[in-house]
Amino acid sequence: MELLSPASLDEAAEAVRTAAANKSTLEVLGTSSKRGLGRPVSAQRMLTSAGMSGIISYHPEELVMTVRAGTRMAEIEAALAEKRQHLAFEPPDYGDLYAGDDGPEKPTGSIGGVIATNLSGPRRLVAGAARDHFLGFTGVNGRGEVFKGGGQVVKNVTGYDLPKLMAGSYGTLAFLGEMTIKTLPRPEKVRTVLFHGLDAVAGNRAMTEVLGGNCEISAAAYLPETIALRSKTELVGGKGSVTAFRLEGSGPSVEHRCATLRKLADGETEELHSKNSASFWREMRDVATFVDANAILWRISVPPADGAKVAAGFSIDFSGCNYFFDWGGGLIWLALPATVGANAEKVRTALKSCGGHATLVRAPDAERLKNPVFEIEGSLDLMRRVKQAFDPNAILNPGRMVEGI
């Protein structure tokens, strides 16, 4: 398949106009590190933003950065680190998740891919999603027209909130060329308190209680013993299950809150300091460490207090499955053996009583074609109308989110 790699928005617009004139389709990509997320796309050509890279402007004092969509996350993170800032929504790196143990060399993710898929890490429960930090963009619609949305300030109320529409649209509405994102100061000190040995119900209950208390937790996760053993971070594995709480802020505040939190535990606790704390939450953020290379993977959102109850049901329904929790129990990562298939209907039926929803994050192409990757119940009409407005000829990433759109 021919790969088009424009170096500017004008070149990207010309490529889209040509495709429209020829009635051909384009698979829109960043650096392909998350190509396995969503339905497989059947298109005549690939259009990548990988050739449009670099930081256009960065104003630390204004907490704002404008970048080209193909800019690698490593470049952005390095620039932010120099000014002791970060992207608070903690964008994950899924290169290892999709490469697998026996797969090709790990691709490096770009900011365009992060925004297009609206991915957020463990800090999601306090910092919001990627779309909440996406201020503005310039892109190309399915007609080949360059257009803008949002701006370079946090408070922007002019017209429609197009950045929030583009975030999570998986390249089906526009080719994003440039984007402005909000940055925030990095915490002065970061530590993680581990409670060892709790079962899933007790771990879920502990997370609910701590998050409702006054310890100001920025992330909370639960790993069953077999999953905790996979961690490469010191002090995490080998002492049973792990219920982890991250605390951030000024030094004295973090030390006081850590001491308070450890007094709440009935059993053994550990404390991870800066390096080990960062290592553990990077593993949680990127997921791959805790998942078998060939497992089918679901990301399941539920009310946080229901996490353990829902996971227990999956253990009954799917022999050989594994799971762990993030977002204080509100996010269940469910790994199914490849031999049982994705079982989308069965997975989603189990969530009806609690109002949860599930996304098929990783599966073979055949499974992603026959199982709905995203939950679209009640929104199909709206999706069609929005697609018609931005990409009337269905040129961009046809079928990436829903068959026929």
Side-chain angles (χ1 to χ4, degrees), residues 183-203:
T183 68
L184 286 172
R186 298 171 73 96
E188 176 188 318
K189 184 177 286 292
V190 181
R191 289 189 181 176
T192 297
V193 172
L194 307 179
F195 291 5
H196 287 289
L198 302 180
D199 63 23
V201 172

Side-chain angles (χ1 to χ4, degrees), residues 49-92:
S49 62
M52 300 171 61
S53 179
I55 297 172
I56 298 171
S57 64
Y58 176 30
H59 302 287
E61 68 284 356
E62 300 292 336
L63 303 177
V64 66
M65 174 185 282
T66 300
V67 296
R68 295 180 179 86
T71 309
R72 277 35 173 198
M73 288 306 304
E75 180 180 349
I76 293 171
E77 289 165 356
L80 292 170
E82 286 185 8
K83 301 297 183 181
R84 298 195 59 78
Q85 293 188 352
H86 67 163
L87 299 181
F89 62 93
E90 217 166 353

Side-chain angles (χ1 to χ4, degrees), residues 203-213 245 304-306 328:
N204 199 169
R205 184 168 56 246
M207 289 189 291
T208 301
E209 291 173 355
V210 170
L211 286 167
F245 302 95
D306 290 344

Side-chain angles (χ1 to χ4, degrees), residues 13-314:
E14 179 60 31
V16 175
R17 286 195 294 270
T18 299
N22 295 334
K23 297 183 178 179
S24 60
T25 51
L26 297 168
E27 181 177 1
V28 179
L29 299 168
T31 57
S32 299
S33 68
K34 291 172 283 293
R35 196 180 184 194
L37 181 55
R39 299 180 74 255
V41 174
S42 177
Q44 280 78 42
R45 293 179 177 83
M46 293 187 290
L47 180 65
T48 176
S49 62
M52 300 171 61
S53 179
I55 297 172
I56 298 171
S57 64
Y58 176 30
H59 302 287
E61 68 284 356
E62 300 292 336
L63 303 177
V64 66
M65 174 185 282
T66 300
V67 296
R68 295 180 179 86
T71 309
R72 277 35 173 198
M73 288 306 304
E75 180 180 349
I76 293 171
E77 289 165 356
L80 292 170
E82 286 185 8
K83 301 297 183 181
R84 298 195 59 78
Q85 293 188 352
H86 67 163
L87 299 181
F89 62 93
E90 217 166 353
D93 179 352
Y94 284 169
D96 282 333
L97 186 67
Y98 290 113
D101 290 344
D102 301 316
E105 183 178 351
K106 170 185 170 180
T108 304
S110 66
I111 185 64
V114 166
I115 295 299
T117 52
N118 192 36
L119 292 177
S120 309
R123 202 180 282 105
R124 168 71 171 83
L125 77 171
V126 294
R131 60 166 44 98
D132 299 311
H133 301 256
F134 182 31
L135 302 179
F137 69 92
T138 305
V140 179
N141 65 20
R143 300 180 182 86
E145 301 165 337
V146 177
F147 72 109
K148 295 182 178 182
Q152 291 191 335
V153 294
V154 174
K155 187 174 182 180
N156 190 316
V157 294
T158 303
Y160 296 105
D161 195 348
L162 291 181
K164 282 189 171 57
L165 180 63
M166 293 298 151
S169 63
Y170 285 75
T172 61
L173 302 179
F175 174 89
L176 298 178
E178 299 174 1
M179 52 192 61
T180 299
I181 47 179
K182 178 170 63 176
T183 68
L184 286 172
R186 298 171 73 96
E188 176 188 318
K189 184 177 286 292
V190 181
R191 289 189 181 176
T192 297
V193 172
L194 307 179
F195 291 5
H196 287 289
L198 302 180
D199 63 23
V201 172
N204 199 169
R205 184 168 56 246
M207 289 189 291
T208 301
E209 291 173 355
V210 170
L211 286 167
N214 58 7
C215 287
E216 297 180 31
I217 305 300
S218 71
Y222 175 81
L223 304 179
E225 181 176 9
T226 54
I227 302 297
L229 285 169
R230 300 183 183 201
S231 175
K232 298 177 176 63
T233 302
E234 292 180 26
L235 305 177
V236 173
K239 294 185 179 181
S241 68
V242 165
T243 310
F245 302 95
R246 183 171 59 189
L247 302 98
E248 300 176 321
S250 65
S253 171
V254 169
E255 290 178 8
H256 173 73
R257 285 182 283 135
C258 281
T260 300
L261 182 55
R262 296 182 76 168
K263 291 176 182 177
L264 300 177
D266 292 330
E268 186 175 354
T269 66
E270 296 278 5
E271 193 170 302
L272 306 182
H273 289 203
S274 300
K275 182 179 178 181
N276 284 332
S277 183
S279 171
F280 174 75
W281 291 106
R282 188 162 50 247
E283 291 176 334
M284 287 297 305
R285 182 196 74 178
D286 298 343
V287 183
T289 297
F290 304 123
V291 180
D292 290 340
N294 296 316
I296 291 173
L297 186 63
W298 286 92
R299 184 181 65 203
I300 298 169
S301 298
V302 297
D306 290 344
K309 179 177 68 176
V310 173
F314 289 135

